[in-house]
Amino acid sequence: MTPLQTARDILCNSRKLVVFTGAGVSADSGIPTFRGSGETGFWGKFDPMKLASPEGFVEDPKLVYDWYNWRRSQLPQVRPNPAHEAIGRLQQEGAVVITQNVDDLHERVAPTGATILKLHGTIIEDKCFSCDHREKVDTANLPPLHRCPKCGAYMRPAIVWFGEALDPDVWDAAEDYCTGCDAMLVVGTSAQVYPAAGLVFEAHRRRANVVVVNLDESPLDEMANVVLYGRAADLVPQIVGP
Ligand code: BJW
Ligand code: ZN
């Protein structure tokens, strides 16, 4: 059997499927990844501890907020790609999506009521740096850095930064799905960021079959049942079918 046939078989025979995604699934829509080299990865050009940590925000809130607004300004122009669409077809059959991505490309093609767990939050909301106030952000009309109407602290993107805990409800639900699934399709993650990456190892430990689609090698490759190297927008539709 070819790797592609093995991947198809695993998905066809699964009754509880989790699709676990990272930045690579949105790369074919034109959203940069984090750890790609040179032009392709944010962290090749920007310092993650300045832009994606609470300490960086405290040091220069305007710099951080403006950087996220620059990323937000690109969202109206990007579209879900054939990988998101194929994953949407799996969701129609009951698959759960667990994503590290903060964009909304899975949501745009998901069937109504589908479960999408966003481990690292969302870029299209702000939350208060101090209290629980949240605001939806209009990506066509971006607000400048502003203060919370409830407590006066700065508003910040509703994203999980380095050193911050994941939302416990989202995390608990993700753990339940990953320990209970019989197969996992992993798309476009370097699996370097924890605790998110640990979910794939946990699913494998509980004997789920793991299919990985990535451009590059990753620490997942040694334990995966099958690894397909290439672009998500090419490979995921081939695995999932029409
Ligand atoms: C394609 C493709 C194409 C490209 N087709 N494929 C244990 C061990 C070591 C470290 C830690 C640990 N536990 C915690 C840590 C610290 C830290 C961490 O993991 N650091 C490591 C980097 C060393 N983790 C944290 O700080 C987390 N918090 C935490 O642990 O809190 C503990 C705590 C508990 C209680 C109280 C308080 C604290 C939080 C992590 C948050 C991560 N946030 C980010 C930034 C979001 C901001 C933003 O968007 O600006 O989330 S980091 C960044 O990485 C982003 C992503 O979601 C995340 C994962 O990246 P991803 O998706 O894997 O992308 P890439 O770029 O790395 O990889 C792309 C992949 O796609 C590659 O494989 C390519 O081959 C592939 N590809 N094009 C198919 N076309
Ligand atoms: Zn507040």
Side-chain angles (χ1 to χ4, degrees):
M1 246 199 296
T2 66
L4 182 61
Q5 284 167 332
T6 308
R8 281 187 185 139
D9 252 36
I10 289 173
L11 263 59
C12 278
N13 292 326
S14 164
R15 284 181 299 122
K16 284 186 178 179
L17 177 67
V18 167
V19 183
F20 181 88
T21 64
V25 76
S26 294
D28 292 328
S29 295
I31 299 180
T33 60
F34 294 92
R35 293 171 188 79
S37 51
E39 284 301 295
T40 60
F42 278 135
W43 301 155
K45 286 183 282 180
F46 303 107
D47 179 352
M49 293 324 279
K50 280 206 164 75
L51 296 170
S53 76
E55 295 80 10
F57 184 74
V58 167
E59 192 180 308
D60 195 341
K62 186 171 180 312
L63 175 85
V64 174
Y65 198 87
D66 286 350
W67 187 67
Y68 280 96
N69 268 359
W70 167 68
R71 286 172 54 190
R72 287 166 167 165
S73 72
Q74 296 166 343
L75 282 179
Q77 286 97 54
V78 300
R79 300 274 171 271
N81 66 58
H84 295 103
E85 285 160 8
I87 291 167
R89 295 195 287 282
L90 293 174
Q91 290 174 285
Q92 250 150 14
E93 290 163 26
V96 164
V97 169
I98 301 177
T99 186
Q100 299 166 89
N101 298 346
V102 298
D103 66 55
D104 63 345
L105 296 184
H106 284 301
E107 286 87 332
R108 292 196 212 169
V109 294
T112 313
T115 300
I116 303 174
L117 298 174
K118 297 185 76 68
L119 296 174
H120 295 158
T122 171
I123 198 168
I124 53 179
E125 282 179 32
D126 276 339
K127 63 182 182 187
C128 176
F129 195 72
S130 179
C131 78
D132 63 0
H133 179 68
R134 289 176 82 99
E135 294 171 357
K136 184 120 174 66
V137 170
D138 178 359
T139 52
N141 189 14
L142 292 168
L145 175 70
H146 58 289
R147 291 186 181 269
C148 170
K150 272 193 185 168
C151 77
Y154 279 123
M155 296 297 290
R156 52 160 279 186
I159 282 176
V160 182
W161 283 330
F162 285 113
E164 294 187 312
L166 279 59
D167 178 313
D169 294 336
V170 175
W171 177 251
D172 288 350
E175 269 195 314
D176 284 350
Y177 282 117
C178 292
T179 53
C181 69
D182 57 18
M184 186 181 266
L185 171 62
V186 183
V187 185
T189 181
S190 62
Q192 293 195 29
V193 173
Y194 279 78
L199 290 170
V200 187
F201 290 97
E202 187 55 23
H204 167 72
R205 207 175 66 80
R206 303 281 186 131
R207 306 203 183 285
N209 290 308
V210 176
V211 176
V212 172
V213 174
N214 254 333
L215 269 188
D216 307 296
E217 291 179 355
S218 85
L220 305 174
D221 295 3
E222 282 194 15
M223 62 76 156
N225 297 70
V226 55
V227 183
L228 295 165
Y229 296 107
R231 301 174 78 91
D234 291 337
L235 290 174
V236 180
Q238 289 186 55
I239 300 170
V240 174

